Amino acid sequence: MRHTSLIAFCLLGASLISGAAFAQDPITNGFGQTIFFSPSGEPFRAPAGQPYPLVKWFNQADTNKDGKISHDEFVADAMAFFDKLDVNHDNYISSPENTRYENQIAPEIQSIDPRIAQPKQSSRQFDPEMSTGTDPNAGRYRKSIVGASQYSLIDEPQPVRAADANFDFKVSREEWLDTAQQRFTILDRNGDGFITLDELPKTPAQLSAEAPPPGEKGGKGPKKKRSGLF
């Protein structure tokens, strides 16, 4: 049930963020920096050309510096970020505290980064029962990489809202702990109780940065100078 709630809020987050998708990009600034969102939604930034800031998070969570993140280290890192978000220390991330997260701590979740390749949309058979008559997609679901998902290991557009399992518009300490454990299970792909750097998937930002520029082998369209993510 918890896992179902997590997925539901991922979809809810996508729909909420899509309304603000064309707001001014808060990280434009000549694309002078890169960003990574930890599994708990904590942003890590680095100047372009520097190592992708996933390493910053990994080194922060790996407190004993043995080159891997244990379950306990992962959970401790998640709870430390919870404490940063829980400004009044009442063991809940309230709606105003979540708004602070979205506007001040992680404003990038409100925009779509044009550097990140979006998935191709496959055509589907028209379903008149799903169409409202005004929907340009004719009621079809359109997959997009938005919000924190652009810079994350897990597809969660809004990682804080995703932890609200009972949909009461606040996240309790218990919900956050439960979600952290779910996220560790997702990332511990070989099930050995540890997460290593080589075990982690690449974020959409990383994949887009490594894609061939247009005009080169594997690229499409005329060759243009790229604004790199790294």
Side-chain angles (χ1 to χ4, degrees), residues 97-124:
E97 288 168 335
N98 177 66
T99 298
R100 171 178 170 268
Y101 169 72
E102 293 177 340
N103 293 336
Q104 299 179 30
I105 297 175
E108 292 88 351
I109 68 174
Q110 300 184 56
S111 300
I112 291 181
D113 191 328
R115 297 169 294 177
I116 295 175
Q118 293 293 328
K120 293 181 179 179
Q121 303 293 343
S122 59
S123 59
R124 300 183 182 181

PDB file of all heavy atoms in Angstrom, residues 97-124:
ATOM      1  N   GLU A  97       5.909  24.401   5.074  1.00  0.00           N
ATOM      2  CA  GLU A  97       7.307  23.963   5.021  1.00  0.00           C
ATOM      3  C   GLU A  97       7.631  23.328   3.673  1.00  0.00           C
ATOM      4  O   GLU A  97       8.747  23.469   3.161  1.00  0.00           O
ATOM      5  CB  GLU A  97       7.596  22.997   6.171  1.00  0.00           C
ATOM      6  CG  GLU A  97       7.655  23.698   7.526  1.00  0.00           C
ATOM      7  CD  GLU A  97       7.648  22.747   8.710  1.00  0.00           C
ATOM      8  OE1 GLU A  97       7.138  21.608   8.572  1.00  0.00           O
ATOM      9  OE2 GLU A  97       8.121  23.146   9.792  1.00  0.00           O
ATOM     10  N   ASN A  98       6.652  22.646   3.090  1.00  0.00           N
ATOM     11  CA  ASN A  98       6.847  22.099   1.755  1.00  0.00           C
ATOM     12  C   ASN A  98       6.935  23.218   0.723  1.00  0.00           C
ATOM     13  O   ASN A  98       7.733  23.136  -0.226  1.00  0.00           O
ATOM     14  CB  ASN A  98       5.711  21.155   1.388  1.00  0.00           C
ATOM     15  CG  ASN A  98       5.848  20.627  -0.025  1.00  0.00           C
ATOM     16  OD1 ASN A  98       6.766  19.884  -0.343  1.00  0.00           O
ATOM     17  ND2 ASN A  98       4.940  21.061  -0.902  1.00  0.00           N
ATOM     18  N   THR A  99       6.135  24.262   0.895  1.00  0.00           N
ATOM     19  CA  THR A  99       6.211  25.413  -0.007  1.00  0.00           C
ATOM     20  C   THR A  99       7.588  26.063   0.067  1.00  0.00           C
ATOM     21  O   THR A  99       8.148  26.471  -0.959  1.00  0.00           O
ATOM     22  CB  THR A  99       5.119  26.436   0.341  1.00  0.00           C
ATOM     23  OG1 THR A  99       3.830  25.827   0.171  1.00  0.00           O
ATOM     24  CG2 THR A  99       5.204  27.663  -0.550  1.00  0.00           C
ATOM     25  N   ARG A 100       8.127  26.146   1.258  1.00  0.00           N
ATOM     26  CA  ARG A 100       9.496  26.673   1.422  1.00  0.00           C
ATOM     27  C   ARG A 100      10.478  25.799   0.654  1.00  0.00           C
ATOM     28  O   ARG A 100      11.410  26.312   0.007  1.00  0.00           O
ATOM     29  CB  ARG A 100       9.864  26.714   2.902  1.00  0.00           C
ATOM     30  CG  ARG A 100      11.332  27.026   3.195  1.00  0.00           C
ATOM     31  CD  ARG A 100      11.591  27.100   4.695  1.00  0.00           C
ATOM     32  NE  ARG A 100      13.015  27.170   4.993  1.00  0.00           N
ATOM     33  CZ  ARG A 100      13.790  26.123   5.238  1.00  0.00           C
ATOM     34  NH1 ARG A 100      13.256  24.888   5.224  1.00  0.00           N
ATOM     35  NH2 ARG A 100      15.070  26.267   5.496  1.00  0.00           N
ATOM     36  N   TYR A 101      10.289  24.481   0.724  1.00  0.00           N
ATOM     37  CA  TYR A 101      11.150  23.565  -0.010  1.00  0.00           C
ATOM     38  C   TYR A 101      11.084  23.846  -1.509  1.00  0.00           C
ATOM     39  O   TYR A 101      12.108  23.945  -2.190  1.00  0.00           O
ATOM     40  CB  TYR A 101      10.740  22.122   0.276  1.00  0.00           C
ATOM     41  CG  TYR A 101      11.385  21.107  -0.635  1.00  0.00           C
ATOM     42  CD1 TYR A 101      12.734  20.791  -0.513  1.00  0.00           C
ATOM     43  CD2 TYR A 101      10.636  20.466  -1.630  1.00  0.00           C
ATOM     44  CE1 TYR A 101      13.330  19.858  -1.373  1.00  0.00           C
ATOM     45  CE2 TYR A 101      11.226  19.537  -2.479  1.00  0.00           C
ATOM     46  CZ  TYR A 101      12.567  19.235  -2.341  1.00  0.00           C
ATOM     47  OH  TYR A 101      13.154  18.324  -3.193  1.00  0.00           O
ATOM     48  N   GLU A 102       9.869  23.981  -2.034  1.00  0.00           N
ATOM     49  CA  GLU A 102       9.688  24.166  -3.470  1.00  0.00           C
ATOM     50  C   GLU A 102      10.210  25.509  -3.956  1.00  0.00           C
ATOM     51  O   GLU A 102      10.758  25.599  -5.065  1.00  0.00           O
ATOM     52  CB  GLU A 102       8.204  24.043  -3.825  1.00  0.00           C
ATOM     53  CG  GLU A 102       7.628  22.648  -3.619  1.00  0.00           C
ATOM     54  CD  GLU A 102       6.148  22.584  -3.908  1.00  0.00           C
ATOM     55  OE1 GLU A 102       5.500  23.655  -3.896  1.00  0.00           O
ATOM     56  OE2 GLU A 102       5.629  21.478  -4.145  1.00  0.00           O
ATOM     57  N   ASN A 103      10.035  26.556  -3.153  1.00  0.00           N
ATOM     58  CA  ASN A 103      10.375  27.907  -3.614  1.00  0.00           C
ATOM     59  C   ASN A 103      11.791  28.346  -3.278  1.00  0.00           C
ATOM     60  O   ASN A 103      12.391  29.125  -4.030  1.00  0.00           O
ATOM     61  CB  ASN A 103       9.391  28.919  -3.032  1.00  0.00           C
ATOM     62  CG  ASN A 103       7.983  28.736  -3.574  1.00  0.00           C
ATOM     63  OD1 ASN A 103       7.782  28.194  -4.651  1.00  0.00           O
ATOM     64  ND2 ASN A 103       6.994  29.190  -2.816  1.00  0.00           N
ATOM     65  N   GLN A 104      12.318  27.861  -2.160  1.00  0.00           N
ATOM     66  CA  GLN A 104      13.610  28.359  -1.694  1.00  0.00           C
ATOM     67  C   GLN A 104      14.728  27.322  -1.769  1.00  0.00           C
ATOM     68  O   GLN A 104      15.846  27.643  -2.161  1.00  0.00           O
ATOM     69  CB  GLN A 104      13.493  28.864  -0.251  1.00  0.00           C
ATOM     70  CG  GLN A 104      12.512  30.009  -0.078  1.00  0.00           C
ATOM     71  CD  GLN A 104      12.412  30.472   1.370  1.00  0.00           C
ATOM     72  OE1 GLN A 104      13.377  30.379   2.139  1.00  0.00           O
ATOM     73  NE2 GLN A 104      11.256  30.957   1.764  1.00  0.00           N
ATOM     74  N   ILE A 105      14.428  26.098  -1.392  1.00  0.00           N
ATOM     75  CA  ILE A 105      15.474  25.075  -1.334  1.00  0.00           C
ATOM     76  C   ILE A 105      15.684  24.413  -2.683  1.00  0.00           C
ATOM     77  O   ILE A 105      16.829  24.206  -3.111  1.00  0.00           O
ATOM     78  CB  ILE A 105      15.128  24.025  -0.252  1.00  0.00           C
ATOM     79  CG1 ILE A 105      15.081  24.687   1.119  1.00  0.00           C
ATOM     80  CG2 ILE A 105      16.136  22.882  -0.266  1.00  0.00           C
ATOM     81  CD1 ILE A 105      14.632  23.763   2.236  1.00  0.00           C
ATOM     82  N   ALA A 106      14.604  24.087  -3.357  1.00  0.00           N
ATOM     83  CA  ALA A 106      14.696  23.336  -4.620  1.00  0.00           C
ATOM     84  C   ALA A 106      13.796  23.935  -5.689  1.00  0.00           C
ATOM     85  O   ALA A 106      12.897  23.272  -6.203  1.00  0.00           O
ATOM     86  CB  ALA A 106      14.337  21.874  -4.379  1.00  0.00           C
ATOM     87  N   PRO A 107      14.010  25.196  -6.077  1.00  0.00           N
ATOM     88  CA  PRO A 107      13.115  25.818  -7.062  1.00  0.00           C
ATOM     89  C   PRO A 107      13.178  25.174  -8.431  1.00  0.00           C
ATOM     90  O   PRO A 107      12.271  25.364  -9.247  1.00  0.00           O
ATOM     91  CB  PRO A 107      13.614  27.273  -7.118  1.00  0.00           C
ATOM     92  CG  PRO A 107      15.052  27.193  -6.687  1.00  0.00           C
ATOM     93  CD  PRO A 107      15.090  26.099  -5.649  1.00  0.00           C
ATOM     94  N   GLU A 108      14.225  24.378  -8.701  1.00  0.00           N
ATOM     95  CA  GLU A 108      14.351  23.739 -10.011  1.00  0.00           C
ATOM     96  C   GLU A 108      13.205  22.789 -10.323  1.00  0.00           C
ATOM     97  O   GLU A 108      12.948  22.495 -11.489  1.00  0.00           O
ATOM     98  CB  GLU A 108      15.673  22.975 -10.098  1.00  0.00           C
ATOM     99  CG  GLU A 108      16.906  23.854 -10.096  1.00  0.00           C
ATOM    100  CD  GLU A 108      17.416  24.160  -8.694  1.00  0.00           C
ATOM    101  OE1 GLU A 108      16.719  23.841  -7.713  1.00  0.00           O
ATOM    102  OE2 GLU A 108      18.519  24.719  -8.584  1.00  0.00           O
ATOM    103  N   ILE A 109      12.513  22.305  -9.287  1.00  0.00           N
ATOM    104  CA  ILE A 109      11.428  21.361  -9.548  1.00  0.00           C
ATOM    105  C   ILE A 109      10.229  22.024 -10.229  1.00  0.00           C
ATOM    106  O   ILE A 109       9.332  21.337 -10.708  1.00  0.00           O
ATOM    107  CB  ILE A 109      10.959  20.640  -8.266  1.00  0.00           C
ATOM    108  CG1 ILE A 109      10.273  21.604  -7.297  1.00  0.00           C
ATOM    109  CG2 ILE A 109      12.109  19.925  -7.577  1.00  0.00           C
ATOM    110  CD1 ILE A 109       9.665  20.907  -6.097  1.00  0.00           C
ATOM    111  N   GLN A 110      10.233  23.359 -10.290  1.00  0.00           N
ATOM    112  CA  GLN A 110       9.112  24.054 -10.903  1.00  0.00           C
ATOM    113  C   GLN A 110       9.310  24.301 -12.399  1.00  0.00           C
ATOM    114  O   GLN A 110       8.446  24.898 -13.038  1.00  0.00           O
ATOM    115  CB  GLN A 110       8.885  25.385 -10.183  1.00  0.00           C
ATOM    116  CG  GLN A 110       8.574  25.225  -8.701  1.00  0.00           C
ATOM    117  CD  GLN A 110       8.263  26.550  -8.038  1.00  0.00           C
ATOM    118  OE1 GLN A 110       7.362  27.277  -8.471  1.00  0.00           O
ATOM    119  NE2 GLN A 110       8.997  26.871  -6.994  1.00  0.00           N
ATOM    120  N   SER A 111      10.423  23.861 -12.946  1.00  0.00           N
ATOM    121  CA  SER A 111      10.715  24.133 -14.353  1.00  0.00           C
ATOM    122  C   SER A 111      11.096  22.862 -15.090  1.00  0.00           C
ATOM    123  O   SER A 111      11.508  21.875 -14.481  1.00  0.00           O
ATOM    124  CB  SER A 111      11.863  25.139 -14.472  1.00  0.00           C
ATOM    125  OG  SER A 111      11.538  26.369 -13.852  1.00  0.00           O
ATOM    126  N   ILE A 112      10.979  22.926 -16.402  1.00  0.00           N
ATOM    127  CA  ILE A 112      11.474  21.864 -17.259  1.00  0.00           C
ATOM    128  C   ILE A 112      12.781  22.344 -17.882  1.00  0.00           C
ATOM    129  O   ILE A 112      12.826  23.397 -18.520  1.00  0.00           O
ATOM    130  CB  ILE A 112      10.458  21.500 -18.355  1.00  0.00           C
ATOM    131  CG1 ILE A 112       9.231  20.828 -17.726  1.00  0.00           C
ATOM    132  CG2 ILE A 112      11.085  20.585 -19.397  1.00  0.00           C
ATOM    133  CD1 ILE A 112       8.172  20.417 -18.728  1.00  0.00           C
ATOM    134  N   ASP A 113      13.837  21.586 -17.674  1.00  0.00           N
ATOM    135  CA  ASP A 113      15.151  21.928 -18.194  1.00  0.00           C
ATOM    136  C   ASP A 113      15.208  21.556 -19.674  1.00  0.00           C
ATOM    137  O   ASP A 113      15.088  20.384 -20.026  1.00  0.00           O
ATOM    138  CB  ASP A 113      16.217  21.158 -17.402  1.00  0.00           C
ATOM    139  CG  ASP A 113      17.626  21.641 -17.700  1.00  0.00           C
ATOM    140  OD1 ASP A 113      17.882  22.062 -18.836  1.00  0.00           O
ATOM    141  OD2 ASP A 113      18.472  21.575 -16.784  1.00  0.00           O
ATOM    142  N   PRO A 114      15.383  22.535 -20.563  1.00  0.00           N
ATOM    143  CA  PRO A 114      15.361  22.224 -22.000  1.00  0.00           C
ATOM    144  C   PRO A 114      16.542  21.373 -22.457  1.00  0.00           C
ATOM    145  O   PRO A 114      16.531  20.853 -23.576  1.00  0.00           O
ATOM    146  CB  PRO A 114      15.397  23.612 -22.654  1.00  0.00           C
ATOM    147  CG  PRO A 114      16.049  24.494 -21.633  1.00  0.00           C
ATOM    148  CD  PRO A 114      15.589  23.967 -20.308  1.00  0.00           C
ATOM    149  N   ARG A 115      17.560  21.227 -21.615  1.00  0.00           N
ATOM    150  CA  ARG A 115      18.711  20.405 -21.997  1.00  0.00           C
ATOM    151  C   ARG A 115      18.421  18.916 -21.869  1.00  0.00           C
ATOM    152  O   ARG A 115      19.156  18.085 -22.392  1.00  0.00           O
ATOM    153  CB  ARG A 115      19.901  20.752 -21.097  1.00  0.00           C
ATOM    154  CG  ARG A 115      20.382  22.189 -21.224  1.00  0.00           C
ATOM    155  CD  ARG A 115      21.367  22.524 -20.113  1.00  0.00           C
ATOM    156  NE  ARG A 115      20.739  22.516 -18.804  1.00  0.00           N
ATOM    157  CZ  ARG A 115      21.406  22.713 -17.658  1.00  0.00           C
ATOM    158  NH1 ARG A 115      22.711  22.887 -17.677  1.00  0.00           N
ATOM    159  NH2 ARG A 115      20.765  22.712 -16.509  1.00  0.00           N
ATOM    160  N   ILE A 116      17.368  18.558 -21.165  1.00  0.00           N
ATOM    161  CA  ILE A 116      17.095  17.152 -20.868  1.00  0.00           C
ATOM    162  C   ILE A 116      16.157  16.562 -21.910  1.00  0.00           C
ATOM    163  O   ILE A 116      15.064  17.086 -22.158  1.00  0.00           O
ATOM    164  CB  ILE A 116      16.510  17.004 -19.453  1.00  0.00           C
ATOM    165  CG1 ILE A 116      17.565  17.433 -18.428  1.00  0.00           C
ATOM    166  CG2 ILE A 116      16.045  15.578 -19.199  1.00  0.00           C
ATOM    167  CD1 ILE A 116      17.079  17.449 -17.002  1.00  0.00           C
ATOM    168  N   ALA A 117      16.596  15.480 -22.517  1.00  0.00           N
ATOM    169  CA  ALA A 117      15.794  14.833 -23.559  1.00  0.00           C
ATOM    170  C   ALA A 117      14.539  14.219 -22.955  1.00  0.00           C
ATOM    171  O   ALA A 117      14.603  13.507 -21.952  1.00  0.00           O
ATOM    172  CB  ALA A 117      16.626  13.763 -24.254  1.00  0.00           C
ATOM    173  N   GLN A 118      13.409  14.505 -23.566  1.00  0.00           N
ATOM    174  CA  GLN A 118      12.142  13.948 -23.133  1.00  0.00           C
ATOM    175  C   GLN A 118      11.881  12.633 -23.875  1.00  0.00           C
ATOM    176  O   GLN A 118      12.336  12.452 -25.006  1.00  0.00           O
ATOM    177  CB  GLN A 118      11.004  14.937 -23.389  1.00  0.00           C
ATOM    178  CG  GLN A 118      11.076  16.197 -22.544  1.00  0.00           C
ATOM    179  CD  GLN A 118      10.853  15.931 -21.062  1.00  0.00           C
ATOM    180  OE1 GLN A 118      10.104  15.031 -20.683  1.00  0.00           O
ATOM    181  NE2 GLN A 118      11.529  16.695 -20.212  1.00  0.00           N
ATOM    182  N   PRO A 119      11.155  11.721 -23.257  1.00  0.00           N
ATOM    183  CA  PRO A 119      10.880  10.438 -23.935  1.00  0.00           C
ATOM    184  C   PRO A 119      10.015  10.633 -25.164  1.00  0.00           C
ATOM    185  O   PRO A 119       9.189  11.536 -25.223  1.00  0.00           O
ATOM    186  CB  PRO A 119      10.150   9.626 -22.851  1.00  0.00           C
ATOM    187  CG  PRO A 119       9.578  10.644 -21.919  1.00  0.00           C
ATOM    188  CD  PRO A 119      10.555  11.783 -21.919  1.00  0.00           C
ATOM    189  N   LYS A 120      10.245   9.766 -26.143  1.00  0.00           N
ATOM    190  CA  LYS A 120       9.412   9.802 -27.339  1.00  0.00           C
ATOM    191  C   LYS A 120       7.998   9.371 -26.980  1.00  0.00           C
ATOM    192  O   LYS A 120       7.803   8.469 -26.167  1.00  0.00           O
ATOM    193  CB  LYS A 120       9.989   8.883 -28.418  1.00  0.00           C
ATOM    194  CG  LYS A 120      11.331   9.345 -28.969  1.00  0.00           C
ATOM    195  CD  LYS A 120      11.820   8.401 -30.049  1.00  0.00           C
ATOM    196  CE  LYS A 120      13.147   8.872 -30.627  1.00  0.00           C
ATOM    197  NZ  LYS A 120      13.650   7.951 -31.671  1.00  0.00           N
ATOM    198  N   GLN A 121       7.033  10.025 -27.595  1.00  0.00           N
ATOM    199  CA  GLN A 121       5.637   9.718 -27.330  1.00  0.00           C
ATOM    200  C   GLN A 121       5.133   8.766 -28.408  1.00  0.00           C
ATOM    201  O   GLN A 121       5.129   9.112 -29.593  1.00  0.00           O
ATOM    202  CB  GLN A 121       4.795  10.998 -27.305  1.00  0.00           C
ATOM    203  CG  GLN A 121       5.277  12.039 -26.300  1.00  0.00           C
ATOM    204  CD  GLN A 121       5.113  11.576 -24.865  1.00  0.00           C
ATOM    205  OE1 GLN A 121       4.381  10.641 -24.590  1.00  0.00           O
ATOM    206  NE2 GLN A 121       5.790  12.250 -23.943  1.00  0.00           N
ATOM    207  N   SER A 122       4.755   7.580 -27.994  1.00  0.00           N
ATOM    208  CA  SER A 122       4.207   6.623 -28.950  1.00  0.00           C
ATOM    209  C   SER A 122       2.738   6.940 -29.205  1.00  0.00           C
ATOM    210  O   SER A 122       2.009   7.362 -28.306  1.00  0.00           O
ATOM    211  CB  SER A 122       4.350   5.195 -28.407  1.00  0.00           C
ATOM    212  OG  SER A 122       3.686   5.071 -27.169  1.00  0.00           O
ATOM    213  N   SER A 123       2.314   6.744 -30.423  1.00  0.00           N
ATOM    214  CA  SER A 123       0.919   7.011 -30.771  1.00  0.00           C
ATOM    215  C   SER A 123       0.032   5.913 -30.208  1.00  0.00           C
ATOM    216  O   SER A 123       0.411   4.747 -30.149  1.00  0.00           O
ATOM    217  CB  SER A 123       0.754   7.086 -32.291  1.00  0.00           C
ATOM    218  OG  SER A 123       1.161   5.876 -32.877  1.00  0.00           O
ATOM    219  N   ARG A 124      -1.141   6.310 -29.790  1.00  0.00           N
ATOM    220  CA  ARG A 124      -2.104   5.352 -29.262  1.00  0.00           C
ATOM    221  C   ARG A 124      -3.430   5.507 -29.994  1.00  0.00           C
ATOM    222  O   ARG A 124      -3.747   6.564 -30.526  1.00  0.00           O
ATOM    223  CB  ARG A 124      -2.316   5.577 -27.757  1.00  0.00           C
ATOM    224  CG  ARG A 124      -1.064   5.417 -26.928  1.00  0.00           C
ATOM    225  CD  ARG A 124      -1.374   5.579 -25.461  1.00  0.00           C
ATOM    226  NE  ARG A 124      -0.182   5.473 -24.628  1.00  0.00           N
ATOM    227  CZ  ARG A 124      -0.180   5.559 -23.307  1.00  0.00           C
ATOM    228  NH1 ARG A 124      -1.314   5.751 -22.661  1.00  0.00           N
ATOM    229  NH2 ARG A 124       0.939   5.458 -22.615  1.00  0.00           N
TER     230      ARG A 124
END
